[in-house]
């Protein structure tokens, strides 16, 4: 009698999905074998993570210090850091730099003007336009940005993740793409 009042226990089984998950991953995830910036940003989780991290770092205060005789003192922020590019706000510039690092593993900025051995401006460059010109030993000799050639001393190159002997940084998106391919 008690058994009749209790509903029967439903049993479920996952069949067919788990054993062939790797072969079905591309269909399930939408991954096409190329983790480019554009395809990566089509994944809402990637878009959200890049936006959150880039926005948080871009919004963080930028304090500049001078260290001497064991004492650290706050100094005025140099113009190149307060307004690196005349076409972008400091927030937009930093957001773009961080997003570039996260999505491509590299961020590039061209020096604009020089005063006292330091740039007066830093114009960000689309990483997809940058290639490396190597010397016969395989070391970086020049940067090619589009069709223009630049001496490495005139290019700020920041790598998100680097390894000895590599000229370019390692892209987290490309690295992830290789792990599921």
């Amino acid at each position: 009698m008690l058994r009749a009042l209790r509903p029967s226990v439903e049993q479920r089984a996952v069949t067919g999905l788990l054993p062939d998950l790797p072969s079905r991953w591309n269909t399930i995830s939408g991954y096409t074998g190329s983790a480019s910036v554009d395809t990566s940003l089509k994944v809402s989780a990637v878009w959200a993570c890049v936006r959150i991290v880039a926005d948080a770092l871009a919004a963080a205060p930028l304090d500049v210090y001078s260290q001497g005789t064991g004492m650290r003192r706050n100094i005025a922020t140099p113009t190149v850091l307060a307004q690196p590019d005349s076409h972008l706000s400091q927030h937009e510039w930093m957001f773009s730099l961080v997003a570039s690092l996260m999505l491509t593993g590299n961020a590039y900025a061209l020096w604009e003007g020089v005063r006292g051995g330091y740039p007066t401006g830093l114009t960000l460059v689309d990483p997809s336009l940058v290639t490396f010109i190597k010397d016969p030993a395989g070391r970086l000799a020049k940067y090619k940005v589009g069709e223009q050639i630049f001496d490495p001393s005139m290019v700020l190159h920041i790598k998100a993740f680097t390894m000895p002997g590599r000229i370019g940084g390692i892209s987290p998106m490309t690295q992830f793409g290789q792990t599921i391919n």
Side-chain angles (χ1 to χ4, degrees):
M1 178 78 165
L2 190 57
R3 184 174 235 173
L5 296 175
R6 191 170 28 147
S8 62
V9 176
E10 181 179 352
Q11 295 198 359
R12 297 182 181 192
V14 177
T15 59
L17 177 63
L18 295 178
D20 66 341
L21 185 58
S23 66
R24 293 182 41 150
W25 178 254
N26 292 350
T27 306
I28 295 167
S29 68
Y31 178 68
T32 62
S34 173
S36 72
V37 171
D38 290 337
T39 56
S40 297
L41 288 174
K42 288 180 183 176
V43 178
S44 60
V46 172
W47 174 278
C49 289
V50 170
R51 184 187 58 77
I52 289 168
V53 172
D55 193 50
L57 290 175
L62 182 61
D63 295 323
V64 181
Y65 295 92
S66 174
Q67 182 122 4
T69 64
M71 299 290 293
R72 189 171 90 166
R73 63 182 176 90
N74 198 355
I75 61 172
T77 304
T79 305
V80 71
L81 295 177
Q83 185 68 44
D85 187 332
S86 62
H87 296 65
L88 299 172
S89 70
Q90 198 256 358
H91 183 274
E92 291 168 324
W93 189 89
M94 187 61 76
F95 185 102
S96 297
L97 181 129
V98 172
S100 180
L101 287 170
M102 293 177 70
L103 293 166
T104 70
N106 296 283
Y108 304 94
L110 300 176
W111 283 38
E112 301 295 333
V114 178
R115 188 179 315 127
Y118 296 99
T120 57
L122 293 166
T123 302
L124 289 174
V125 176
D126 180 349
S128 68
L129 299 177
V130 179
T131 55
F132 309 122
I133 300 172
K134 299 177 185 178
D135 65 15
R139 295 181 305 250
L140 177 67
K142 303 280 183 187
Y143 288 97
K144 184 175 181 184
V145 180
E147 295 302 316
Q148 293 183 295
I149 307 293
F150 293 92
D151 187 79
S153 66
M154 298 306 290
V155 178
L156 172 64
H157 179 191
I158 303 171
K159 303 172 194 177
F161 188 93
T162 187
M163 295 292 291
R166 291 187 66 136
I167 295 174
I170 299 171
S171 162
M173 290 298 111
T174 301
Q175 192 62 29
F176 172 70
Q178 291 173 356
T179 63
I180 63 171
N181 195 10

